[in-house]
Amino acid sequence: MPTEPAPGQAVRAYLTTPDGRRLSYLDFGPAGGRPLLGLHGHLGEGAEFAELARALSPDGWRVVALDQRGHGDSDRAKQYDRDGYLDDLSLLFTRLGLDHQLPLPVVGHSLGAINGYYLAAARPDAVSALINIDGPANLPVVDPAPLSVLLGLPYSAPTREELLVACGSLTPLLENGLRPHRDGWRLGSHPTDMVDSDTRVLGDHWHQWLGSHCPALLLHGTASTVLPTAQARAMASRRHGTTLVELNADHWVHLRRPKESAVAIRRFLDSMRCPPPRRFVAANIHAQPERGMPPTSSASHWSRADAVPMPCSAARTGP
């Protein structure tokens, strides 16, 4: 179990799975805070929720951010299907004693968002609210999978500089995850693992996205190449109790627009402690909220999910 983190810092801790793998997670504390689970996307790690954890700390939230299997400081796994990811989450709940504090909110980005809404559909007792950061309900099935671009990269190199050179044009996606490894440096995740995971996440997830009834926030980047705006609006309109916030950002909304993302997430979490809000008018991007609702700014658009469903687009060019 982690010790109490110093203000603004996280404690890294580990747990061992039944098959002998080590899972790493960051506990941003405080120990007595209300737990909130953070799930990163492909090529990410729990540390990317550090800024959000600092923003939520004054409100008493304790962010626990897992390095999902095969990512960051967590060991590689034999496979990367939904059942495996969810088994890791159940183990985390049990080992951290979070079973006694369920349900809890889950914030996930991309792959992590999909794992989060699968968890909510499978275990409605475990999830009190979903915060989906640019996680689609449908990803086109393509061969090869988008992350196959990683397959030409070495997993490790003698120095960080050599590994960065080998990453080439993919350096912006990978450089923050590099870490020491044996006698050199390695990527934050193994290329073949990521292709396996990416391949298994392709397809139609609408049933699971619509399969839970807890409040949800969908935080969407309007320049995303992973979640088309038309699909994001359809996801919000078709799922009851879902609020859509659109920010001028790419797929990594919470990293490109951290302050605006934190404001939206804090507002959403605060709303769960208040009477249910009146419905937003969500016919189009220019719709304005009804009287008494948060104002629309140049950075975001708020909508409530009771509008007519919109058609889904299947474009995807990123991880």
Side-chain angles (χ1 to χ4, degrees):
M1 296 293 290
T3 58
E4 179 72 11
Q9 296 183 353
V11 168
R12 184 175 295 280
Y14 302 86
L15 54 88
T16 303
T17 67
D19 60 353
R21 290 179 295 110
R22 189 176 72 163
L23 286 175
S24 170
Y25 64 93
L26 291 174
D27 190 337
F28 291 90
R34 293 172 291 169
L36 186 154
L37 178 64
L39 299 174
H40 60 79
H42 281 131
L43 308 179
E45 59 182 291
E48 68 188 50
F49 291 107
E51 191 159 351
L52 177 62
R54 286 192 290 270
L56 296 180
S57 179
D59 296 336
W61 289 104
R62 170 195 176 193
V63 175
V64 177
L66 178 68
D67 285 359
Q68 298 193 85
R69 54 174 52 197
H71 293 79
D73 285 346
S74 288
D75 287 343
R76 301 174 62 188
K78 292 182 179 179
Q79 64 182 41
Y80 293 85
D81 59 8
R82 232 43 48 213
D83 288 343
Y85 279 113
L86 266 58
D87 286 346
D88 291 346
L89 298 183
S90 294
L91 180 65
L92 181 70
F93 290 157
T94 300
R95 296 291 176 85
L96 268 65
L98 298 179
D99 278 334
H100 303 296
Q101 300 185 63
L102 298 178
L104 52 78
V106 176
V107 53
H109 170 240
S110 195
L111 165 73
I114 294 173
N115 290 342
Y117 66 67
Y118 263 75
L119 176 67
R123 291 193 56 185
D125 64 301
V127 181
S128 62
L130 283 171
I131 301 168
N132 176 343
I133 304 175
D134 220 59
N138 181 275
L139 288 163
V141 178
V142 294
D143 186 15
L147 287 183
S148 295
V149 297
L150 301 172
L151 290 178
L153 301 182
Y155 178 54
S156 62
T159 66
R160 187 175 188 274
E161 291 69 25
E162 289 177 81
L163 192 52
L164 285 173
V165 169
C167 290
S169 62
L170 297 174
T171 295
L173 283 177
L174 304 174
E175 61 182 339
N176 289 337
L178 303 190
R179 58 226 316 122
H181 174 66
R182 297 175 184 168
D183 295 327
W185 285 72
R186 69 167 176 86
L187 301 176
S189 47
H190 198 287
T192 58
D193 294 348
M194 293 303 95
V195 174
D196 182 18
S197 183
D198 196 29
T199 301
R200 292 172 184 270
V201 84
L202 301 179
D204 188 337
H205 307 288
W206 275 102
H207 180 74
Q208 288 75 22
W209 169 245
L210 300 175
S212 61
H213 304 285
C214 61
L217 170 65
L218 176 54
L219 191 58
H220 167 57
T222 54
S224 173
T225 57
V226 177
L227 175 58
T229 296
Q231 185 183 147
R233 295 176 188 174
M235 289 173 65
S237 68
R238 292 178 59 181
R239 187 186 183 281
H240 181 75
T242 301
T243 298
L244 172 67
V245 176
E246 296 180 343
L247 298 180
N248 182 18
D250 61 14
H251 180 53
W252 290 268
V253 189
H254 59 310
L255 300 180
R256 304 292 189 250
R257 303 293 291 272
K259 292 182 180 179
E260 295 92 336
S261 297
V263 166
I265 292 170
R266 289 183 71 181
R267 182 180 292 171
F268 171 71
L269 292 172
D270 285 346
S271 74
M272 295 194 305
R273 295 181 290 173
C274 303
R278 296 170 63 192
R279 183 166 45 165
F280 283 98
V281 179
N284 56 62
I285 188 63
H286 301 294
Q288 294 297 315
E290 295 181 0
R291 185 187 301 270
M293 299 307 296
T296 299
S297 71
S298 59
S300 64
H301 166 69
W302 292 80
S303 65
R304 190 62 185 264
D306 296 350
V308 177
M310 301 179 186
C312 295
S313 169
R316 183 180 189 233
T317 58

